[in-house]
Amino acid sequence: MGTSSKPVSKSVSSYCYQCVAGPDLMKVDVIDGVPVQIRPNGSAAAVHPAHGKVCVKAFGLIQKTNNPNRIQTPMIRSNPRKGRDQDPGFRPATWDEALDLICGKLIDTRNKGLTDESGFPRVAASFGGGGTSTVYMGTFPAFLKAWGPIDMSFGSGQGVKCYHSEHLYGEFWHRAFTVSPDTPMVELIISFGANVEASGGVCGVRRHADARDRGVKRIQVEPHLSITGACSAEWVPIRPKTDPAFMFAMLHVLLHEVERDRLDVPFLKARSASPYLVAPNGFYMRDPATRKPLVWDLKSGQAVPFDTEGTDPALDGEFVVSGVEVGPDDKTWQHEAVSCRTGFGRLVDHIAPYSPEWASGICDVPAGMIRKTALEFLEHAHVGETIEIDGCTMPFRPVAISLGKTVSNGWGGYECAWARTLMAVLIGGLEVPGGTLGTTVRLNRPADNRWSSVVPGPDGFMNYPMNPTRKGEFNETSGSRHAHTTLIPLAANSPWSQALGPTHLAWMAQKQGFAHLPDPTPPDVWFVYRTNPVISFWDTKAVGEAIAKFPFTVCFAYTMDETNHMADVLLPECTDLEGLQLIRIGGSKYVEQFWEHQGFALRDPASNPMGEARDFTWIATQLAKRVGLLEEYNTAINKGAAGVRLFGANYDFSLEPEAEHSVEEIWDSACRAASAELTDGAESQGLEYYRQHGFRTVPFPKRRWYLYPAMAEKGLRFELPYQERLLRIGQELGARLHEMGITWWDRQLREYEALPHFQDLQSLWEKAIEAQYDVKIGDYPFWLLSARSMQYSWGGNAGIQMIHEVAANVAGHGGVVMNPQAAARLGLSEGDRVEVCSPVGRTDGAVILRNGIRPDTLLMIGQFDHWKTPFAKDLKTPSMNGLVPMSLELTDATGSGADLVRVAVRKATGDAARAGK
Ligand SMILES: Nc1nc2c(c(=O)[nH]1)N[C@H]1C(S)=C(S)[C@@H](COP(=O)(O)OP(=O)(O)OC[C@H]3O[C@@H](n4cnc5c(=O)[nH]c(N)nc54)[C@H](O)[C@@H]3O)O[C@H]1N2
Ligand SMILES: Nc1nc2c(c(=O)[nH]1)N[C@H]1C(S)=C(S)[C@@H](COP(=O)(O)OP(=O)(O)OC[C@H]3O[C@@H](n4cnc5c(=O)[nH]c(N)nc54)[C@H](O)[C@@H]3O)O[C@H]1N2
Ligand code: SF4
Ligand SMILES: [Mo]
């Protein structure tokens, strides 16, 4: 894209982390101080999983930096009234004026107390893009740390609209905040709506392309033919939200239609809870003395604690056993000679009704195809084989099932996550080469790598930092406006937990609180960066109305957008190619980032800031200084709040706590500490080194991609198939909530089943909408879904012309994707403007006819419907987000919901019809 004939005056090292599939490394060519071209970083080819390349979105950064619509000075609102229909009347201000205004507000707030009358933090903050904002916000996290409690419960969709059940149950079962096939070794991938060719970033695309070269087969199960489906071996057009039926039927084939020894019986006995005996009330039968779960030892013909050496536990069967059973709140039952089935046996019985023939009618997929898929899964499992990685012998199971976000959130997410993880366990393919792997930990600690989070917990399983549910330990107040530690035991309480709480409840509460929770209050001060909930959330109208009532909102602003339209102050920060920052790279990160190296990479400014934009670290330092928290702020940086701890066992590059430090001084210390960390204190090269080299890594052993060796070394088991712990926790949670008088979470309590049963999710959705809006569901005959686009990172780059231009060449963008037969029935043709309505809202767009979509399904790619973001607002691109309700009824026990809704379509009239002209 370099168009100038002038020679490149310098090449600057940087990284792109515009979507969660990063970070990826790149070079920026600069001519006379102007960045003109993004290039792959060739010197990273040997260490980076995509050989130093970046995806199309990174190439948009040149236009992003020079976007004429950028906010170039701080701006202060002059119109006190807020709302979509109000002109905010922003006027330019100096940094001094803007910072004085914000810090005055913060000092007043602090004087009132860090928490308000409801016990909620007075300061709230929302960041977008699944946590990626952190790598662009310099030392701002250290400012937040210095401040004290911050409420992060006002979300933008990351979490509740994301792979939410996978996030929570994945972390619980195998330290898997997200899950990936071991793509470089897998032979068969069965994907339920995982659109990896659009969502997997440059590493995902590279790994899957290499896998196809090796002859890997992918079966894509989803209602519309995505980019991923289009380059898969098979597309199975399943009916929306019926995936649990398909997966339960696969389990049926594995458990009822093939010989047992085709499963990995040794793995099931040693590495899962399959042999644990279940007592009459549904909890494990335990040894009275040690309270350890019992297994039936086939060698000695008696029940023994699960960890007894030299036993051969029965996988299946019913045995007469005495012991003690422990239920909720330590309720115990003594049993004398009662009949107990193993957890595995209970599973076999539980799955019996769910045959492929049963599932076929639900999923609209022929029984033969479901059966064939299950058998192929088994054929590719290579049960019994091993492989050596870094001198460590592990099972080799080259088959994996992946789930997309809409399959793993909302109701049905538990069933799908459980069935997928369980199928991996049945063939010994969880966390082993070729199989199903977790990528990264976010809720468990320590979070530096997955192995160190393998800490022994109860009953031979890994520990999990569950929010307490026992009497006396339960948190009746959460300190967050969505009550995550009260309602969601699995959300834990790590720095990430608030973002993974039921964030829509925070928005809903602003309109009408929830009985027996503290009164809802808006935050006194709300900070917003790189997120646009007024576009990305559900019922975007209601979200906008809630935001308009917040008394004081500070948005870091790149251009105007629908959320910062309601702000009181806009602060322009140095963007991607302008700011300075050092981040961690390597190891394993979400999506498909599996590295054999780890270390640090620098984002070195390639351009002077546009206008008055300032480096985020400078802004954070100014805030800390002016609020009187400089010492706490520097101390937080020293302790690692900005990504690198500045001291270690044999080095110390800590900042003088009481002094104000320049941006370069801070990052120089971070670079020195990073060098020291990687060399165990031997070296300490600073900023100059990273400017020259861009990044620095040391090897990350590949065996650490797999949790299995750490589990085996500690003698631990995966907590499957039977969810005894969750059953107990659900009952305790129910008791606690009822003691508080809360009955509105009862529907969610039912998800705490030891073995999930099938629920008719389609009718659950339909009934919830009929009840909430007093409509007839028959008037809304289509399911509306959304899908990722490789060109767009959420709505974050929707205002960039080049991205739109590229996307316009890729099928499906910019309108309402519809099956031609369905369109013909409504008299619609390609390009017709249509109005799409749900009981909550409406949008309009142009019909895009595609055979690759079910006739009962519509699709709108991405998240659009912008009315303020420059350029994006002129695209007339529809989005589902104004049409999807925020609904307690449609919230699952983990606190998430799904991006789908029932809609009606009709030819547009009036303004909507003219919009496209
Ligand atoms: N329809 C639909 N909606 C969805 C989803 C979906 O699949 N379909 N997915 C959901 C999921 S999983 C997620 S994680 C969320 C994500 O949703 P969000 O986290 O809200 O992300 P974005 O929409 O990217 O919002 C980014 C905002 O930051 C601004 N911005 C971009 N770059 C910069 C910058 O350099 N500086 C500043 N100050 N601002 C910048 C952009 O203009 C934009 O307004 O969306 C959810 N919403
Ligand atoms: N380029 C790019 N990459 C990204 C992002 C981005 O914005 N842009 N965002 C990142 C984030 S935060 C996330 S959460 C991930 C999401 O990654 P994915 O989950 O892979 O993303 P989507 O394309 O939104 O998934 C939608 C797919 O699910 C299918 N689907 C919808 N409903 C159902 C259903 O009921 N059953 C089945 N089987 N399929 C269904 C749709 O047909 C569609 O193909 O992507 C990440 N990567
Ligand atoms: S996949 Fe693309 S947008 Fe995402 S971080 Fe990598 S280069 Fe950036
Ligand atoms: Mo997401």
Side-chain angles (χ1 to χ4, degrees):
M1 292 196 330
T3 48
S4 170
S5 53
K6 279 193 173 180
V8 167
S9 40
K10 63 172 181 174
S11 281
V12 170
S13 296
S14 193
Y15 55 76
C16 176
Y17 211 161
Q18 285 183 91
C19 80
V20 296
D24 297 305
L25 304 178
M26 62 188 186
K27 287 274 188 190
V28 191
D29 290 342
V30 180
I31 298 178
D32 295 344
V34 179
V36 292
Q37 175 168 254
I38 301 288
R39 281 191 291 116
N41 186 343
S43 54
V47 299
H48 176 250
H51 303 197
K53 305 243 166 64
V54 285
C55 85
V56 57
K57 294 184 283 304
F59 292 95
L61 287 173
I62 299 288
Q63 272 197 354
K64 176 174 178 181
T65 308
N66 299 310
N67 187 342
N69 299 311
R70 278 182 64 175
I71 306 286
Q72 299 199 28
T73 64
M75 306 277 251
I76 295 178
R77 185 185 197 93
S78 57
N79 180 358
R81 287 184 304 278
K82 295 181 178 178
R84 177 171 173 171
D85 56 346
Q86 294 292 325
D87 176 354
F90 282 118
R91 63 168 177 85
T94 62
W95 274 98
D96 268 336
E97 191 187 4
L99 288 169
D100 281 348
L101 176 64
I102 297 166
C103 294
K105 197 73 172 176
L106 285 171
I107 291 167
D108 287 352
T109 302
R110 208 167 172 87
N111 290 338
K112 285 195 270 173
L114 289 169
T115 52
D116 67 13
E117 55 284 6
S118 289
F120 297 137
R122 289 189 187 274
V123 173
S126 298
F127 307 117
T132 55
S133 312
T134 323
V135 308
Y136 293 106
M137 60 170 136
T139 55
F140 193 63
F143 168 70
L144 298 180
K145 186 97 187 156
W147 176 267
I150 305 279
D151 191 354
M152 314 262 265
S153 60
F154 295 106
S156 58
Q158 54 170 316
V160 292
K161 299 180 74 173
C162 215
Y163 310 95
H164 197 264
S165 293
E166 181 162 291
H167 290 335
L168 269 53
Y169 291 106
E171 281 249 356
F172 176 52
W173 287 318
H174 60 126
R175 303 305 189 240
F177 186 71
T178 62
V179 175
S180 168
D182 189 15
T183 313
M185 262 191 265
V186 75
E187 283 179 15
L188 172 72
I189 301 170
I190 305 167
S191 155
F192 290 86
N195 189 5
V196 67
E197 302 292 346
S199 64
V202 64
C203 292
V205 166
R206 173 74 198 226
R207 286 175 20 126
H208 282 261
D210 288 348
R212 276 196 301 279
D213 257 4
R214 283 193 293 111
V216 113
K217 175 171 183 181
R218 186 172 56 209
I219 302 174
Q220 186 75 6
V221 185
E222 61 184 355
H224 103 283
L225 179 66
S226 63
I227 297 285
T228 310
C231 55
S232 295
E234 286 172 26
W235 170 46
V236 182
I238 192 172
R239 190 175 272 149
K241 268 286 169 196
T242 62
D243 304 78
F246 194 117
M247 284 185 237
F248 281 22
M250 286 178 72
L251 278 170
H252 186 277
V253 175
L254 298 178
L255 293 169
H256 289 274
E257 301 186 14
V258 299
E259 300 84 53
R260 187 61 31 90
D261 61 5
R262 293 190 64 193
L263 305 181
D264 193 339
V265 173
F267 187 99
L268 286 167
K269 286 185 175 187
R271 296 273 82 87
S272 82
S274 296
Y276 289 14
L277 293 167
V278 181
N281 300 301
F283 301 95
Y284 290 139
M285 185 66 114
R286 291 165 187 272
D287 174 48
T290 61
R291 300 242 161 154
K292 289 179 179 174
L294 296 173
V295 297
W296 186 263
D297 179 20
L298 293 169
K299 280 193 190 158
S300 60
Q302 58 176 347
V304 295
F306 71 89
D307 56 355
T308 312
E309 294 285 327
T311 56
D312 178 18
L315 181 62
D316 197 357
E318 197 149 343
F319 306 94
V320 175
V321 186
S322 300
V324 39
E325 186 180 3
V326 183
D329 292 315
D330 278 332
K331 181 178 169 60
T332 47
W333 296 271
Q334 311 285 338
H335 294 293
E336 281 305 319
V338 292
S339 183
C340 296
R341 189 91 194 257
T342 62
F344 184 85
R346 288 251 186 162
L347 167 72
V348 172
D349 287 357
H350 178 77
I351 291 297
Y354 302 132
S355 68
E357 284 67 25
W358 160 84
S360 172
I362 297 167
C363 312
D364 195 19
V365 175
M369 187 170 278
I370 301 176
R371 186 166 279 116
K372 181 177 100 48
T373 307
L375 292 173
E376 271 188 81
F377 176 81
L378 199 56
E379 276 152 26
H380 287 276
H382 293 236
V383 172
E385 288 185 24
T386 57
I387 190 169
E388 202 182 293
I389 308 264
D390 296 341
C392 175
T393 303
M394 286 183 251
F396 174 61
R397 301 286 180 277
V399 62
I401 299 175
S402 44
L403 308 181
K405 67 176 259 289
T406 309
V407 177
S408 49
N409 61 24
W411 292 117
Y414 174 38
E415 291 91 304
C416 291
W418 174 79
R420 180 268 298 279
T421 320
L422 180 58
M423 280 192 263
V425 167
L426 291 180
I427 51 107
L430 190 60
E431 293 294 342
V432 303
T436 304
L437 309 183
T439 55
T440 187
V441 290
R442 286 289 176 262
L443 298 171
N444 283 281
R445 299 283 116 167
D448 53 343
N449 79 68
R450 293 171 68 236
W451 273 19
S452 42
S453 70
V454 179
V455 177
D459 298 344
F461 306 128
M462 280 182 282
N463 199 26
Y464 189 80
M466 207 79 76
N467 290 315
T469 47
R470 284 154 62 99
K471 209 173 171 71
E473 296 169 20
F474 179 67
N475 294 308
E476 287 202 359
T477 52
S478 267
S480 68
R481 285 168 176 80
H482 57 22
H484 70 291
T485 58
T486 305
L487 296 174
I488 322 281
L490 276 168
N493 204 12
S494 86
W496 272 72
S497 297
Q498 292 207 12
L500 294 164
T503 52
H504 52 304
L505 299 195
W507 293 119
M508 288 163 78
Q510 290 297 309
K511 197 167 180 187
Q512 188 184 6
F514 291 96
H516 308 290
L517 285 184
D519 285 341
T521 52
D524 292 45
V525 178
W526 184 40
F527 284 106
V528 183
Y529 175 52
R530 267 190 197 243
T531 187
N532 192 2
V534 180
I535 290 295
S536 42
F537 213 72
W538 298 301
D539 195 353
T540 45
K541 185 162 171 278
V543 170
E545 285 164 4
I547 291 175
K549 295 203 184 99
F550 287 2
F552 193 75
T553 298
V554 181
C555 290
F556 293 93
Y558 152 68
T559 66
M560 286 308 303
D561 69 30
E562 292 67 19
T563 299
N564 66 33
H565 178 79
M566 322 285 179
D568 292 270
V569 185
L570 305 180
L571 297 178
E573 90 290 357
C574 288
T575 57
D576 315 50
L577 302 186
E578 296 166 343
L580 177 65
Q581 189 160 356
L582 185 80
I583 61 161
R584 269 175 207 280
I585 55 169
S588 62
K589 292 260 160 24
Y590 342 85
V591 192
E592 295 250 355
Q593 285 251 346
F594 287 87
W595 298 52
E596 293 182 53
H597 296 83
Q598 64 181 339
F600 295 89
L602 187 73
R603 184 162 58 90
D604 193 13
S607 162
N608 289 327
M610 182 180 266
E612 286 296 307
R614 292 288 167 93
D615 192 282
F616 226 124
T617 296
W618 179 86
I619 302 172
T621 306
Q622 291 307 309
L623 290 171
K625 187 175 84 172
R626 288 167 194 241
V627 177
L629 290 171
L630 197 57
E631 191 179 340
E632 291 83 348
Y633 164 75
N634 283 324
T635 305
I637 298 176
N638 290 341
K639 288 186 176 166
V644 195
R645 205 166 66 138
L646 301 189
F647 57 91
N650 43 8
Y651 58 92
D652 191 349
F653 300 101
S654 300
L655 303 167
E656 159 62 45
E658 277 150 40
E660 178 184 343
H661 302 278
S662 72
V663 174
E664 294 214 345
E665 244 180 291
I666 293 174
W667 291 110
D668 184 59
S669 299
C671 289
R672 287 183 186 286
S675 296
E677 187 191 306
L678 294 179
T679 58
D680 211 12
E683 295 182 23
S684 62
Q685 293 91 338
L687 188 53
E688 229 13 78
Y689 174 95
Y690 288 84
R691 288 209 148 127
Q692 274 174 30
H693 299 270
F695 63 94
R696 181 167 194 171
T697 55
V698 292
F700 178 82
K702 187 173 170 182
R703 65 176 184 281
R704 286 184 172 247
W705 293 1
Y706 312 103
L707 216 58
Y708 183 86
M711 303 275 295
E713 191 205 312
K714 297 192 170 135
L716 296 173
R717 297 164 186 265
F718 292 108
E719 199 163 348
L720 290 143
Y722 193 83
Q723 302 305 308
E724 193 240 17
R725 181 154 43 157
L726 292 180
L727 182 67
R728 181 180 307 106
I729 279 168
Q731 293 187 7
E732 289 176 352
L733 178 65
R736 297 297 88 78
L737 294 177
H738 290 167
E739 284 156 16
M740 288 174 72
I742 292 177
T743 51
W744 45 262
W745 199 247
D746 283 5
R747 174 84 186 76
Q748 286 71 16
L749 293 173
R750 283 189 256 148
E751 188 169 294
Y752 293 86
E753 292 183 298
L755 297 165
H757 75 281
F758 176 78
Q759 316 180 61
D760 180 350
L761 301 175
Q762 288 216 328
S763 82
L764 190 142
W765 262 85
E766 291 162 2
K767 285 193 188 123
I769 290 181
E770 282 192 329
Q772 194 170 343
Y773 296 99
D774 193 21
V775 293
K776 294 227 167 346
I777 203 69
D779 294 339
Y780 300 90
F782 293 96
W783 287 100
L784 173 60
L785 313 176
S786 86
R788 289 277 175 295
S789 146
M790 179 51 95
Q791 295 76 54
Y792 288 103
S793 42
W794 310 285
N797 56 355
I800 297 174
Q801 177 276 336
M802 181 213 118
I803 293 295
H804 169 67
E805 191 178 324
V806 178
N809 292 296
V810 180
H813 284 84
V816 187
V817 178
M818 193 171 191
N819 181 284
Q821 289 163 24
R825 274 200 297 278
L826 296 175
L828 297 171
S829 319
E830 176 79 18
D832 280 355
R833 296 290 304 181
V834 286
E835 194 178 38
V836 183
C837 310
S838 79
V840 190
R842 56 167 297 284
T843 185
D844 50 81
V847 168
I848 302 174
L849 295 180
R850 309 266 296 147
N851 282 310
I853 187 163
R854 291 174 56 89
D856 59 1
T857 302
L858 303 177
L859 179 94
M860 293 175 190
I861 287 187
Q863 48 213 71
F864 292 92
D865 247 353
H866 295 85
W867 46 266
K868 182 80 182 197
T869 303
F871 186 77
K873 73 178 165 33
D874 303 324
L875 297 178
K876 312 287 178 213
T877 301
S879 164
M880 73 185 306
N881 287 350
L883 279 57
V884 188
M886 288 195 270
S887 156
L888 191 60
E889 201 55 26
L890 296 176
T891 304
D892 72 359
T894 68
S896 76
D899 274 336
L900 88 170
V901 64
R902 285 286 288 264
V903 294
V905 182
R906 55 179 167 265
K907 213 169 202 154
T909 53
D911 288 348
R914 283 188 291 278
K917 300 273 152 50

